[in-house]
Amino acid sequence: GPDADDSETYSYEVSGLPVGSMVNFGAGDVQVATVGQVITYDAGNNSTLPAISFKPPANFSGDLPTVTVTLVTKDTDTDSNGPIVTERSPVEIQLYVNPVAGDVTLPTRVATTEDKAVNFLAGVALSDRDGSELLKSLSFTILTGWTLTVPAEASQYYSVDGDVGTIAFPEAMSG
């Protein structure tokens, strides 16, 4: 039942998150700094469950099968029968963080004079520049009346299907 005399204390522990993750119990972020670190929040005698949130480290995606949130309680008054013990109630959570790819960027303007070929893909890059993402192919629309001229030495990397051109890069471009 509820704690009528405010003699119980409550704390919460979170474990199983990767280094760089942020945990928030409604009172500010706490960063996981080491492998296996347990983040603890002391709620005192407040029995109201805090709003607990997690944020993975930058560029993280994948399975987190063993994230554990544990409620730790202890009744500290003198009417307890026997020795005062700490009760632990763990809950395992299986999290999956979906990958989100960065954008492909192009220069804001590529210009050429009339009737002259243009290298419209000059400056293609990934917005995520930490090397965690790869650009393996690029598709684009060929406008009506335009012609795609494929360099002979690279023809095996290009394909055209109707008005869609695709380049499959021989070595993935990293950000």
Side-chain angles (χ1 to χ4, degrees), residues 1-96:
D3 180 24
D5 63 0
D6 286 335
S7 62
E8 290 184 21
T9 59
Y10 304 89
S11 63
Y12 300 87
E13 299 174 349
V14 176
S15 61
L17 292 171
V19 171
S21 296
M22 301 301 270
V23 180
N24 191 310
F25 295 95
D29 290 338
V30 178
Q31 185 172 21
V32 176
T34 59
V35 173
Q37 181 178 358
V38 177
I39 302 295
T40 302
Y41 172 72
D42 182 3
N45 62 3
N46 184 352
S47 62
T48 303
L49 180 67
I52 303 171
S53 63
F54 313 110
K55 180 180 177 187
N59 300 310
F60 178 86
S61 64
D63 293 323
L64 296 172
T66 57
V67 175
T68 303
V69 178
T70 303
L71 167 62
V72 181
T73 60
K74 185 175 183 179
D75 188 355
T76 60
D77 64 359
T78 57
D79 68 354
S80 298
N81 293 329
I84 295 174
V85 296
T86 299
E87 297 288 334
R88 302 176 67 77
S89 301
V91 175
E92 282 196 3
I93 302 170
Q94 295 179 351
L95 297 176
Y96 181 76

Side-chain angles (χ1 to χ4, degrees), residues 78-148:
T78 57
D79 68 354
S80 298
N81 293 329
I84 295 174
V85 296
T86 299
E87 297 288 334
R88 302 176 67 77
S89 301
V91 175
E92 282 196 3
I93 302 170
Q94 295 179 351
L95 297 176
Y96 181 76
V97 179
N98 290 320
V100 177
D103 292 328
V104 175
T105 61
L106 291 168
T108 55
R109 184 172 180 199
V110 177
T112 188
T113 57
E114 185 176 351
D115 298 327
K116 184 173 180 183
V118 62
N119 185 356
F120 69 99
L121 294 177
V124 169
L126 295 171
S127 60
D128 186 345
R129 298 192 183 276
D130 69 357
S132 65
E133 297 175 6
L134 301 174
L135 180 61
K136 294 182 178 183
S137 66
L138 181 69
S139 295
F140 49 91
T141 301
I142 303 169
L143 300 175
T144 303
W146 288 55
T147 303
L148 174 63

